[in-house]
Amino acid sequence: MADADIGVVGLGTMGAMLALNIADNGFRVGVYNRTSSRIKSFMDEAGELSDRVHPGVTLEDFVQTLKSPRNIILMVPAGPIVDAQIAALRPLLDDDDMIIDAGNANFHDTNRRAKAAVDAGHPYLGIGVSGGAEGARFGPSIMGGGPKDCWDRVAHILEAISAKYEGQPCATWMGEGGAGHFVKTVHNGIEYADMQLIAESYGIMRDGLGMSAGDCGTVFERWNAGALQSYLIEISGEVARAFDPDTGNPVLDIILDRAGQKGTGRWTVIESQMLGAPVPVIEAAVGARNISAMRDLRLAGAKLYGAGERRLEADALGVDDLEQALIAGKILCYAQGFDLLGKASGEYGWALPMPEIAEVWRAGCIIRSSMLNDMAAALRDASGRNLAMAPHFKALIAANIYGLRKVSVTAQMAGLPVPALSSALAYFDTLTKTRTSANMLQAQRDYFGAHGFERVDKEGEHHGPWLGQHLR
Ligand code: 6PG
């Protein structure tokens, strides 16, 4: 019977949780998975919600369970599988049936797919969904992109299943084409940076201060009650306090220090470079993951140069300095992320709703934190302004920048790597310097390539006295 309000293709962890969330919110949901045994196990997991779940054993059956015009969420791995799934579905659909890609798609792919759909007269949405499995099940943060009327058609379902911040749904339309997936990509870039900043502070506590994992956990727990309150600080405390049942050791101590990644942080960096919108803290975070993965080289380096005792002198640094460093570093990193969003918004003609982006991240997503509420207020005040220039954050940075400087310098003198923290500091120092050393770059460019430079005392393009001399 064709009475499902929406369909979900792909019953991996995220798709399954999203389908249960939809059913839990009173909607009827059709489900399909390429491996049919998974459909059966999913129906068992659905329990009493299974009354509102209509399984389709074949793609044709699945399509027939959906009300017209049909709305179909794809929750399959990003990349060519999405194109293959669209190609398999389209011949079974009517013109006004809508496909909604809810995976972590590259926004260029979403732009391409959305254009193909629009050219063929089909509705299409690309939505970024954040919050991991728990978010998908109980309320994710949803960033939508595509024609506004397509969003409006399913907004009541997406808002119902989304996380709520003080009753307000964390589901927002960001703009046309790949806007939603672009915002999700930058979310993930910030996620990488936020995680790296926390990991660096943990590394200093462990190696520099000789603290146990459990003690680090207690510090994170305390920080979570202050300005750093966030999901990532909260879970860092929980993982630091967890024990491995096999060995009885802290779980953190038995986890290999080789970070994985699926690539969204890298995409953020690539897009920032293409747009000329610097995100150095995110770059440092992506780079740190890459270097962590080169374990053999690191081991060889330690053998060649000596790993050294990287313990800090007593009283060189305290956990309060680390908290300050994290507060300042976090604000500076988010300032970069929002600047990138602002630049992309202009370049791609999206008119991204900057305060609403901060708002949609206040609940449900991985980077949710109390600071995002203040960021939303600052962006509502002046949406194009760098967050570090907003009065609230100016005061916070001013109060905490000394901690960031002390931690960066002290850690580096002891040989403790802090790429994200130190890059946040370098960004701050550059951002607040009236005269940088870029005049030297301009002189060099003019010397070897006659590229010209601006002068401090005259309008127009100028060349140095060297021009012509060394070419004679
Ligand atoms: C989220 C997460 C989610 C996923 C990341 C992990 O917002 O829910 O960002 O999308 O956990 O893709 O990314 P990495 O594997 O690259 O760390």
Side-chain angles (χ1 to χ4, degrees), residues 104 130-132 184 187-188 191-192 261-263 289 366:
N104 266 338
S130 177
K184 175 61 168 54
H187 165 284
N188 280 30
E191 172 186 304
Y192 275 47
Q261 56 185 311
K262 297 201 194 73
R289 284 200 194 193
I366 301 297

Side-chain angles (χ1 to χ4, degrees), residues 129-131 141 143 181-193 268 334 341 361 364-368:
V129 177
S130 177
S141 167
M143 296 142 259
H181 277 137
F182 186 86
V183 174
K184 175 61 168 54
T185 297
V186 176
H187 165 284
N188 280 30
I190 294 174
E191 172 186 304
Y192 275 47
T268 308
Y334 279 65
L341 287 165
W361 291 345
C365 70
I366 301 297
I367 63 170
R368 60 186 183 262

Side-chain angles (χ1 to χ4, degrees), residues 391-416:
H392 175 81
F393 291 105
K394 190 257 161 190
L396 260 182
I397 291 176
N400 292 288
I401 196 70
Y402 178 73
L404 180 59
R405 193 175 302 286
K406 185 174 170 190
V407 167
S408 300
V409 170
T410 313
Q412 290 184 97
M413 287 305 292
L416 292 164

Side-chain angles (χ1 to χ4, degrees), residues 202 206 239 244 250-259 295:
Y202 154 73
R206 183 191 66 188
V239 300
D244 171 42
V251 181
L252 269 184
D253 293 352
I254 54 132
I255 297 179
L256 196 65
D257 57 339
R258 193 153 57 190
R295 185 159 182 267

Side-chain angles (χ1 to χ4, degrees), residues 7 15 39 62 78 125 193 201-202 206 268 273 353 361:
I39 302 178
F62 161 74
L125 277 182
S201 70
Y202 154 73
R206 183 191 66 188
T268 308
Q273 294 290 356
W361 291 345

Side-chain angles (χ1 to χ4, degrees), residues 200 203-205 207-209 309-322 324-325 401-419 421-422 425:
E200 289 174 16
I204 294 174
M205 287 192 272
D207 302 331
L209 305 178
E309 169 64 41
R310 308 201 185 186
R311 189 62 64 86
L312 294 170
E313 304 280 329
D315 300 330
L317 212 59
V319 292
D320 291 346
D321 299 313
L322 287 173
Q324 286 201 349
I401 196 70
Y402 178 73
L404 180 59
R405 193 175 302 286
K406 185 174 170 190
V407 167
S408 300
V409 170
T410 313
Q412 290 184 97
M413 287 305 292
L416 292 164
V418 283
L421 286 166
S422 58
L425 180 65

